[in-house]
Amino acid sequence: MYAYIAKRLLVAIPTLLIISIFVFLLQKLLPGDPVLAMAGEERDPEVIAYLREQYRLNDPVVYQYFYWLGDVLRGDLGTSLRTNQPVTELILQKLPVTIQLAVMAMIFAVLIGIPAGILAAVHKNTALDYLANLVALSGLSIPNFWLGIMLILLVSVHLGWLPASGYYPFFVDPLRSLKTMVMPAFVLSTPLAAMLMRHTRSSMLGVLRADYIRTARAKGLSERTVVIEHGLRNGLLPIITLSALLFGDLLAGAVLTEQIFTIPGFGKLIVDAVFNRDYAVVQGVVLCTAAAFILMNLLADILYVLLNPRMRASL
């Protein structure tokens, strides 16, 4: 088991290195010059020359990359070109917001998608199955930004049940924080719940056709016992790994949802950084989200091995 984890970590290291190269080179293609924006309206040549020297922008691109990579390996993601604030500090400020949003969205997706998938599989080719598939298709098809705006108009403007936007730290005011995050979390969860429902249904249909399920039914066990205690245990193995990967996607931030609900998470941070040509922030945020996704991918692989006896036996 430890050898398997070590192999996966060895694969993750060059993956992160390749991602860092792409992130560094692609942000150089962004239009405009951040130094000119920092220099102000006067654009004094001496100030511009000083800024270029300070941020090593006069060096060749290869040297700039290795300077940046060396700082990253020491835990220094650089300094924001706009606010002069350490990028690590900015990320640590936004990370709790993104984690809370991702966790709440994942809870909604699991509570909606998995039970719906189980019911659709058990009642295959019935009205319940067709309804679940219709709802899942709607969840995949409806754009998040449109659903978010409609929920704001209905729930906040007309009914006044929840705040339309904003964010409050969870540990400052838990109830108010949950109220502000319910709608954006639900909006984010709709496509995830649809994917979980479809995969759960497909997985459970395969399991319910297995020989050991027929044997359990032949023994006279109730359908509830057969489905939950025998079918669900094996049917959810691929769903657990899929959930881990979907959670990794959520940690990358939801740009449109955060913009609509004015949530100061990773998505809003990177959009602002791109518009402000804040290269250091763009590099730091993308690198951190890539590392989070790779970590969740590793966790999914480990969970699959732990929960699958055949995989454990083959290691």
Side-chain angles (χ1 to χ4, degrees):
M1 183 64 184
Y2 293 109
Y4 175 77
I5 296 175
K7 289 179 182 177
R8 299 298 300 170
L9 285 173
L10 288 176
V11 172
I13 292 173
T15 303
L16 267 178
L17 184 62
I18 293 172
I19 291 173
S20 71
I21 294 173
F22 274 102
V23 169
F24 187 86
L25 294 179
L26 289 176
Q27 58 88 23
K28 292 292 184 182
L29 300 177
L30 292 175
D33 189 341
V35 171
L36 295 180
M38 295 170 63
E41 296 182 359
E42 296 181 359
R43 296 184 178 180
D44 189 337
E46 293 184 2
V47 173
I48 292 175
Y50 170 78
L51 291 173
R52 290 191 182 279
E53 186 66 29
Q54 180 182 3
Y55 292 102
R56 301 188 181 121
L57 296 178
N58 292 325
D59 297 334
V61 174
V62 176
Y63 290 174
Q64 292 180 39
Y65 169 74
F66 282 109
Y67 282 135
W68 174 71
L69 183 62
D71 291 338
V72 169
L73 294 176
R74 290 191 294 269
D76 181 10
L77 294 176
T79 304
S80 171
L81 301 178
R82 299 287 295 181
T83 64
N84 205 31
Q85 190 176 1
V87 175
T88 305
E89 184 178 320
L90 283 173
I91 290 175
L92 291 177
Q93 289 176 358
K94 308 298 182 183
L95 187 60
V97 183
T98 298
I99 290 178
Q100 181 183 349
L101 181 60
V103 168
M104 291 182 64
M106 202 68 219
I107 290 173
F108 278 129
V110 169
L111 292 179
I112 297 171
I114 292 180
I118 295 171
L119 291 173
V122 172
H123 302 280
K124 180 185 176 183
N125 295 331
T126 65
L128 185 60
D129 183 22
Y130 296 141
L131 178 62
N133 279 284
L134 177 62
V135 173
L137 182 61
S138 301
L140 289 171
S141 305
I142 297 175
N144 281 354
F145 69 88
W146 182 86
L147 180 60
I149 293 172
M150 292 301 103
L151 282 178
I152 290 174
L153 289 174
L154 176 63
V155 178
S156 300
V157 177
H158 292 293
L159 299 177
W161 288 350
L162 294 171
S165 62
Y167 171 76
Y168 292 90
F170 180 79
F171 294 105
V172 174
D173 191 340
L175 182 59
R176 194 170 186 179
S177 177
L178 291 175
K179 285 182 177 180
T180 58
M181 296 293 268
V182 164
M183 280 200 298
F186 178 77
V187 169
L188 274 181
S189 72
T190 50
L192 306 183
M195 284 188 281
L196 287 176
M197 179 268 160
R198 298 296 295 271
H199 281 80
T200 301
R201 179 184 181 276
S202 176
S203 179
M204 287 297 294
L205 285 176
V207 168
L208 293 177
R209 288 193 293 263
D211 292 337
Y212 67 89
I213 295 294
R214 285 195 292 267
T215 302
R217 285 172 174 157
K219 289 180 179 180
L221 297 177
S222 66
E223 188 67 14
R224 179 187 178 90
T225 302
V226 171
V227 172
I228 295 179
E229 295 187 8
H230 295 273
L232 193 59
R233 182 182 303 174
N234 294 304
L236 286 185
L237 283 176
I239 308 305
I240 292 174
T241 56
L242 174 64
S243 299
L245 296 177
L246 292 177
F247 187 73
D249 284 337
L250 289 174
L251 289 177
V255 175
L256 290 176
T257 304
E258 291 181 5
Q259 290 288 336
I260 291 171
F261 291 96
T262 323
I263 297 175
F266 269 7
K268 192 172 188 306
L269 177 63
I270 196 168
V271 167
D272 293 342
V274 169
F275 279 112
N276 292 326
R277 305 182 187 91
D278 200 339
Y279 294 164
V281 175
V282 173
Q283 293 167 352
V285 173
V286 173
L287 191 64
C288 286
T289 53
F293 187 82
I294 290 174
L295 180 63
M296 296 308 300
N297 198 346
L298 175 63
L299 178 61
D301 291 339
I302 294 173
L303 285 175
Y304 193 81
V305 171
L306 290 175
L307 296 172
N308 193 335
R310 288 175 295 183
M311 288 290 294
R312 290 202 305 269
S314 64
L315 294 178

